[in-house]
């Protein structure tokens, strides 16, 4: 079974709709991240969470919100989707600083989102 | 924000050839990571480097943490078709809690 799962894998929606992308992990990691991938731009950090009560903005958080429902669950919401939010979205996890490998991130399979 | 420059952006090689790619930064990094992304999948961690000068291998892959702490290299020897994909470097610079990713190197292999 996959350690980091994302649902849905693909989603087509319309401008103005609210969308939620979900991420679950069985790795027992404290830290979770949401990234966006666009062609030629690599991975850009949207939000990250170092534990259940911790939420931090990344470099491109405008238009997005997140919820850390539990250690294993971290969801990303687009409150009112717009076409330039069409992209691949990845969730990732990493251990906490108690581990020497705390910044090794493990990625889910991604969600391809299309906003028409 | 902090930037990583990854080169080349793309490579077209023949099966069996060796491959080299690198990442550079203007800042000192504490960690360098190399990932591979297959089409339709998330990035998979290949090699992690934690010390300046460190040289680590994973099968046919070898990566090095540059002595200046501002660069890293990934080499693939004797390429095979399954090496096709996008390779990303990522680094954590001193004092940061997050990773910064390079733009990726797209590797294409002609049989």
């Amino acid at each position: 079974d996959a350690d980091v799962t994302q649902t849905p894998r693909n989603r087509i929606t319309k401008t103005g709709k609210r969308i939620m992308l979900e991420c679950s992990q069985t790795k027992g990691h404290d830290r979770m991240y949401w990234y966006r991938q666009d062609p030629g731009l690599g991975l850009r950090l949207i939000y990250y969470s170092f534990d259940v009560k911790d939420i931090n903005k990344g470099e491109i958080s405008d238009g997005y919100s997140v919820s850390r429902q539990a250690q294993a669950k971290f969801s990303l919401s687009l409150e009112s989707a717009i076409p330039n939010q069409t992209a691949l979205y990845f969730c990732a996890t990493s251990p906490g600083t108690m581990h020497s490998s705390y910044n090794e991130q493990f990625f889910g399979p991604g969600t391809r989102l299309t906003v028409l | 924000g902090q930037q990583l420059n990854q080169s080349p952006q793309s490579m077209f090689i023949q099966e069996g050839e060796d491959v080299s790619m690198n990442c550079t930064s203007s800042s000192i990094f504490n960690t360098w990571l190399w990932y591979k992304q297959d089409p339709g999948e998330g990035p998979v961690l290949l090699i992690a480097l934690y010390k300046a000068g460190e040289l680590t291998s994973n099968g046919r892959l070898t990566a090095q943490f540059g002595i200046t702490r501002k660069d890293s290299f990934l080499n693939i020897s004797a390429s095979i078709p399954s090496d096709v994909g996008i390779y990303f470097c990522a680094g954590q610079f001193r004092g940061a809690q997050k990773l910064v990713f390079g733009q990726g190197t797209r590797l294409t292999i002609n049989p």
Side-chain angles (χ1 to χ4, degrees), chain A residues 9 31 33 35 37 40-43 45 48 50 90 97 100-109, chain B residues 30-31 33 35 37 40-45 48 50 86 88 92 96-99 101-104:
Chain A
R9 291 296 311 276
R31 300 182 171 193
Y33 310 80
Y35 289 90
Q37 185 178 37
L41 293 179
L43 291 158
L45 185 63
Y48 61 104
F50 284 173
F90 289 101
T97 51
S100 60
S101 60
Y102 69 92
N103 53 13
E104 294 179 15
Q105 293 184 17
F106 297 86
F107 286 81
Chain B
N30 288 336
T31 302
L33 306 173
Y35 288 85
Q37 185 179 22
E41 301 294 331
V44 174
L45 182 63
Y50 290 98
I86 303 175
F88 290 98
Q92 181 203 13
Q97 293 287 330
K98 310 181 298 294
L99 293 179
F101 283 82
Q103 299 94 332

Side-chain angles (χ1 to χ4, degrees), chain A residues 24-89:
Chain A
S24 294
Q25 54 115 345
T26 58
K27 299 183 77 67
H29 288 170
D30 289 328
R31 300 182 171 193
M32 298 187 74
Y33 310 80
W34 275 104
Y35 289 90
R36 168 177 173 160
Q37 185 178 37
D38 297 278
L41 293 179
L43 291 158
R44 293 184 292 168
L45 185 63
I46 306 172
Y47 271 96
Y48 61 104
S49 169
F50 284 173
D51 64 44
V52 175
K53 297 181 179 180
D54 177 72
I55 299 291
N56 304 280
K57 292 183 177 181
E59 60 182 304
I60 56 164
S61 59
D62 288 347
Y64 302 94
S65 63
V66 291
S67 174
R68 185 81 184 266
Q69 300 96 323
Q71 186 204 35
K73 296 183 181 296
F74 192 36
S75 61
L76 175 72
S77 294
L78 287 67
E79 298 301 326
S80 180
I82 56 177
N84 75 0
Q85 290 177 314
T86 293
L88 270 171
Y89 290 85

Side-chain angles (χ1 to χ4, degrees), chain B residues 25-40:
Chain B
S25 170
S26 58
S27 300
I28 291 175
F29 275 56
N30 288 336
T31 302
W32 284 99
L33 306 173
W34 284 92
Y35 288 85
K36 183 194 177 196
Q37 185 179 22
D38 291 326

Side-chain angles (χ1 to χ4, degrees), chain B residues 39-92:
Chain B
E41 301 294 331
V44 174
L45 182 63
L46 299 173
I47 295 176
L49 302 162
Y50 290 98
K51 297 179 182 179
E54 180 180 355
L55 186 71
T56 297
S57 294
N58 178 3
R60 293 177 296 104
L61 278 62
T62 302
Q64 185 165 24
F65 194 139
I67 290 293
T68 66
R69 306 180 71 95
K70 294 182 178 181
D71 56 11
S72 181
F73 305 85
L74 176 69
N75 296 314
I76 305 173
S77 62
S79 59
I80 60 177
S82 62
D83 291 334
V84 166
I86 303 175
Y87 292 80
F88 290 98
C89 64
Q92 181 203 13

Side-chain angles (χ1 to χ4, degrees), chain A residues 4-18:
Chain A
V4 184
T5 58
Q6 292 183 235
T7 56
R9 291 296 311 276
N10 291 281
R11 182 71 184 269
I12 300 173
T13 191
K14 295 182 179 180
T15 297
K17 293 291 187 180
R18 184 177 188 273

